[in-house]
Amino acid sequence: MITRTTPAEDQETRCVLGCRTRTGEPFPAQQGYRTCDPCADELRADIQELARLYPELIRAAVPGGASTSGRVSPGYGSRSPARDSVLVLTDRRTRAEDDGDAHSVLEILSSWADNIREDTGMGVPDPAARRQGQLLVGWLDFTADQPWAGKLDTPLGQLRDEIAEQLGLSARTVHGETAFLVEWFDYVTRQYWVSDFAEEVRGLLATVRAATGTAESSIPVGTCPTLNETTQRPCGARLRVRAEADRITCPRCRTRWPRAHWDELSDAQGTPLSDVAALSAWLDVPAGTLRRWRSEDGWANHGSRRRPLYERNAVLTSWQRRRGALLAG
């Protein structure tokens, strides 16, 4: 939940999200913010990833939905028809009592969104008023559905929607709250509590990934070629990228390559070549799918007819194009 702490003096100029320079010092924050650009990009992507994965979590919570568990023995038992470990993440009544307990995804996101609404003067309804409003909205829903309501169902529905909008009851969805947080992201990254916010978002995302059996959607793209000023040798840290990312950031030396300069990064690394089997293991994509991409995108063969080899840069471009389309859809 939201905690407020007194900021340290150096948090005015250093990123508070845990990144470090080569010497181990906190990386400088962007002027006027409490985060550096790479960390801010990663945090924004994590919020958007929560919105993308939450429907998978809902499907995993019901019988016949997605599940990470294996086959079970037939027969009757006392187990819940839904996955309890997933239900606690989707139930707003969930309250964590000890460290490591699951949280309600919607409740945590809403608490941070309400923090912004309160701090910016948008107003957050009094908790007692919200409870009474929820009861009234429920009563109006029930009444409008009764056979005897007749022509009253339309005005009752309109009244219900107006009350819900005034009390913020209609907007309480994970999609709505994540969209609000992204909209106010510039404000978020200027606040002293951004490190607490980032910690909870990362924790929620890790829990949701575990519950849905979803691995982080990133792939390796090689090693960092930036020369160390002292040793004059390449940094060598392993680089990874998400399909939706706008830049690649070295986790060690913090060198950044915006998407427009990825070709330069590829040239600096050399042009690694791989066969279809290695590419399939690299991207976790079936070999048959890769052969279809090769035909559609026209990869050049740098090997032989017996063992064709393809540029990883060309293959990565094909993967990003299709992965990006899936995320957008």
Side-chain angles (χ1 to χ4, degrees):
M1 304 302 289
I2 294 174
T3 58
R4 298 180 180 271
T5 57
T6 303
E9 293 295 329
D10 64 350
Q11 287 182 344
E12 294 295 332
T13 57
R14 299 292 177 175
C15 178
V16 299
L17 297 188
C19 58
R20 294 288 186 269
T21 65
R22 294 181 216 174
T23 60
E25 295 295 323
F27 200 76
Q30 186 72 8
Q31 185 175 4
Y33 295 82
R34 297 185 182 274
T35 65
C36 63
D37 282 348
C39 285
D41 289 343
E42 291 176 8
L43 177 56
R44 184 190 296 107
D46 284 346
I47 297 171
Q48 294 169 329
E49 184 88 344
L50 270 176
R52 187 179 69 84
L53 289 179
Y54 194 74
E56 297 294 329
L57 191 66
I58 297 297
R59 283 190 283 272
V62 299
S67 174
T68 58
S69 60
R71 298 181 61 185
V72 295
S73 301
Y76 297 97
S78 58
R79 61 183 178 275
S80 168
R83 295 176 56 205
D84 293 338
S85 61
V86 177
L87 283 176
V88 295
L89 296 171
T90 58
D91 190 341
R92 294 198 62 176
R93 297 170 298 178
T94 298
R95 294 291 183 272
E97 298 180 357
D98 299 309
D99 290 343
D101 286 354
H103 297 268
S104 161
V105 175
L106 178 56
E107 194 66 24
I108 292 296
L109 294 176
S110 294
S111 69
W112 287 107
D114 283 347
N115 190 47
I116 297 170
R117 295 180 180 111
E118 182 179 357
D119 288 351
T120 56
M122 285 185 281
V124 179
D126 178 81
R130 284 181 59 83
R131 285 194 295 272
Q132 294 299 320
Q134 287 172 326
L135 291 174
L136 179 56
V137 165
W139 180 84
L140 289 171
D141 281 336
F142 172 80
T143 304
D145 289 337
Q146 299 308 305
W148 49 262
K151 295 181 179 180
L152 289 176
D153 59 347
T154 298
L156 285 174
Q158 292 174 344
L159 179 59
R160 182 256 185 225
D161 291 342
E162 290 177 6
I163 294 173
E165 183 176 356
Q166 288 293 323
L167 295 179
L169 301 175
S170 58
R172 298 293 167 161
T173 65
V174 168
H175 183 272
E177 297 296 60
T178 52
F180 177 85
L181 292 168
V182 170
E183 179 183 357
W184 283 83
F185 194 73
D186 186 79
Y187 176 84
V188 170
T189 50
R190 295 176 183 268
Q191 306 308 307
Y192 62 82
W193 43 256
V194 65
S195 58
D196 295 329
F197 171 70
E199 183 179 356
E200 290 206 332
V201 167
R202 290 167 182 163
L204 282 177
L205 185 55
T207 304
V208 170
R209 281 176 178 154
T212 57
T214 306
E216 184 176 3
S217 56
S218 68
I219 61 170
V221 295
T223 58
C224 177
T226 303
L227 291 180
N228 185 295
E229 296 178 359
T230 303
T231 64
Q232 290 301 304
R233 294 180 179 178
C235 168
R238 295 185 180 276
L239 304 177
R240 299 185 67 88
V241 65
R242 295 180 181 182
E244 66 272 24
D246 292 324
R247 73 185 74 206
I248 298 172
T249 304
C250 176
R252 182 182 300 164
C253 70
R254 308 305 294 178
T255 302
R256 291 172 282 175
W257 293 270
R259 184 178 286 271
H261 296 283
W262 285 2
D263 287 344
E264 297 175 15
L265 172 60
S266 177
D267 293 341
Q269 292 178 322
T271 305
L273 305 175
S274 298
D275 59 18
V276 170
L279 293 170
S280 177
W282 176 49
L283 295 174
D284 193 24
V285 172
T289 301
L290 292 175
R291 293 189 179 94
R292 175 168 55 82
W293 293 359
R294 175 197 61 192
S295 176
E296 294 173 351
D297 297 347
W299 303 342
N301 181 7
H302 295 272
S304 63
R305 292 189 63 182
R306 182 182 295 272
R307 185 169 181 260
L309 299 173
Y310 306 101
E311 292 184 7
R312 286 201 171 200
N313 187 48
V315 179
L316 179 60
T317 299
S318 295
W319 181 87
Q320 288 164 340
R321 181 183 303 120
R322 289 164 175 82
R323 179 67 177 171
L326 286 174
L327 292 175

